[in-house]
Amino acid sequence: AQKVTQAQTEISVVEKEDVTLDCVYETRDTTYYLFWYKQPPSGELVFLIRRNSFDEQNEISGRYSWNFQKSTSSFNFTITASQVVDSAVYFCALSEVYNQGGKLIFGQGTELSVKP
Amino acid sequence: SQTIHQWPATLVQPVGSPLSLECTVEGTSNPNLYWYRQAAGRGLQLLFYSVGIGQISSEVPQNLSASRPQDRQFILSSKKLLLSDSGFYLCAWSVIGPHRVANTEAFFGQGTRLTVV
């Protein structure tokens, strides 16, 4: 069965600190996709990144970076020099490629609070 | 470009009343459609998904039902609401790539905050 675990329920940092959000997943499939979404206070989920199971290269986008390690089934998300606008709930999600319907399975989310 | 509309944004309904939440997608054809619910604990639970008109798959047994009367319209309903139906309901869409590979992200609507009183 597929499962996504985000063990950190809440994280609080001071602006300009770096912060890493952990994500561990379980799947029996060898082909799958991993995602990160951001949910600001407005509630809408904003897509951040998609990564397939065959691509373990780390990715950097501005202050955001992602570390995918298949050996530990982890897909961690780091925000460098955090800002108040980064405050949100962040979700990690998994989709098995040949699953019917392309449904995403989400973790419980990590609430990040960045204080000025 | 593709857009997703979900309404209403907020809803307060008494216990035992019916429910109808609507979601429509523009700018794409034959999308996969989803209803998620986010309870107070923040986790997103998949309720229903649909791969085509009239095709509904239910993920969890509950007091709710879904229908897809048109290609880009997805409706979440209940005949009699329970207190436990309160939550934040999110509609989403995605597309399936060639050879039925689910290799794309889902895009979400702005959500409906439902309070059952």
Side-chain angles (χ1 to χ4, degrees), chain A:
Chain A
Q2 48 182 322
K3 183 180 178 182
V4 176
T5 301
Q6 294 179 256
Q8 304 151 308
T9 305
E10 298 177 5
I11 300 177
S12 182
V13 300
V14 176
E15 210 170 17
K16 297 184 184 176
E17 284 185 23
D18 298 347
V19 58
T20 295
L21 310 181
D22 297 333
C23 172
V24 174
Y25 62 92
E26 296 175 30
T27 177
R28 294 178 185 171
D29 281 16
T30 57
T31 307
Y32 50 89
Y33 279 82
L34 297 164
F35 306 81
W36 275 95
Y37 283 82
K38 175 181 180 180
Q39 187 179 39
S42 61
E44 183 178 354
L45 264 77
V46 178
F47 165 72
L48 296 178
I49 189 171
R50 176 189 69 200
R51 174 65 60 178
N52 77 56
S53 53
F54 295 111
D55 183 0
E56 289 194 67
Q57 273 193 326
N58 290 337
E59 181 153 342
I60 298 174
S61 176
R63 296 183 297 107
Y64 295 172
S65 62
W66 290 270
N67 183 356
F68 175 32
Q69 294 202 347
K70 214 167 178 177
S71 59
T72 57
S73 297
S74 66
F75 186 43
N76 296 337
F77 173 30
T78 297
I79 301 175
T80 303
S82 60
Q83 300 176 3
V84 173
V85 293
D86 295 326
S87 296
V89 180
Y90 291 87
F91 289 95
C92 181
L94 164 72
S95 174
E96 292 168 340
V97 166
Y98 294 104
N99 82 79
Q100 185 182 10
K103 53 191 176 182
L104 296 178
I105 302 301
F106 284 86
Q108 286 296 104
T110 297
E111 183 170 8
L112 174 64
S113 176
V114 181
K115 300 187 189 310

Side-chain angles (χ1 to χ4, degrees), chain B residues 20-68:
Chain B
S20 181
L21 302 181
E22 190 162 341
C23 171
T24 59
V25 180
E26 295 177 358
T28 187
S29 296
N30 196 30
N32 284 358
L33 297 173
Y34 313 88
W35 279 110
Y36 283 87
R37 178 170 61 197
Q38 187 175 31
R42 272 208 320 273
L44 283 155
Q45 180 185 39
L46 178 63
L47 301 176
F48 302 94
Y49 69 92
S50 171
V51 299
I53 296 174
Q55 300 179 60
I56 308 296
S57 296
S58 174
E59 288 293 294
V60 292
Q62 58 207 315
N63 185 42
L64 303 167
S65 62
S67 62
R68 186 171 176 174

Side-chain angles (χ1 to χ4, degrees), chain B:
Chain B
S1 63
Q2 302 90 352
T3 55
I4 179 169
H5 302 281
Q6 188 181 340
W7 66 92
T10 59
L11 193 58
V12 179
Q13 291 283 97
V15 168
S17 63
L19 173 74
S20 181
L21 302 181
E22 190 162 341
C23 171
T24 59
V25 180
E26 295 177 358
T28 187
S29 296
N30 196 30
N32 284 358
L33 297 173
Y34 313 88
W35 279 110
Y36 283 87
R37 178 170 61 197
Q38 187 175 31
R42 272 208 320 273
L44 283 155
Q45 180 185 39
L46 178 63
L47 301 176
F48 302 94
Y49 69 92
S50 171
V51 299
I53 296 174
Q55 300 179 60
I56 308 296
S57 296
S58 174
E59 288 293 294
V60 292
Q62 58 207 315
N63 185 42
L64 303 167
S65 62
S67 62
R68 186 171 176 174
Q70 300 180 43
D71 181 44
R72 289 168 287 179
Q73 183 185 28
F74 205 25
I75 298 171
L76 183 70
S77 305
S78 173
K79 292 182 179 178
K80 287 186 178 180
L81 283 169
L82 305 172
L83 286 173
S84 57
D85 292 323
S86 293
F88 189 52
Y89 289 82
L90 287 154
C91 179
W93 71 274
S94 70
V95 295
I96 296 296
H99 312 295
R100 306 296 301 165
V101 172
N103 61 351
T104 68
E105 56 273 18
F107 298 94
F108 286 79
Q110 294 193 319
T112 296
R113 195 162 303 280
L114 171 66
T115 303
V116 182
V117 296

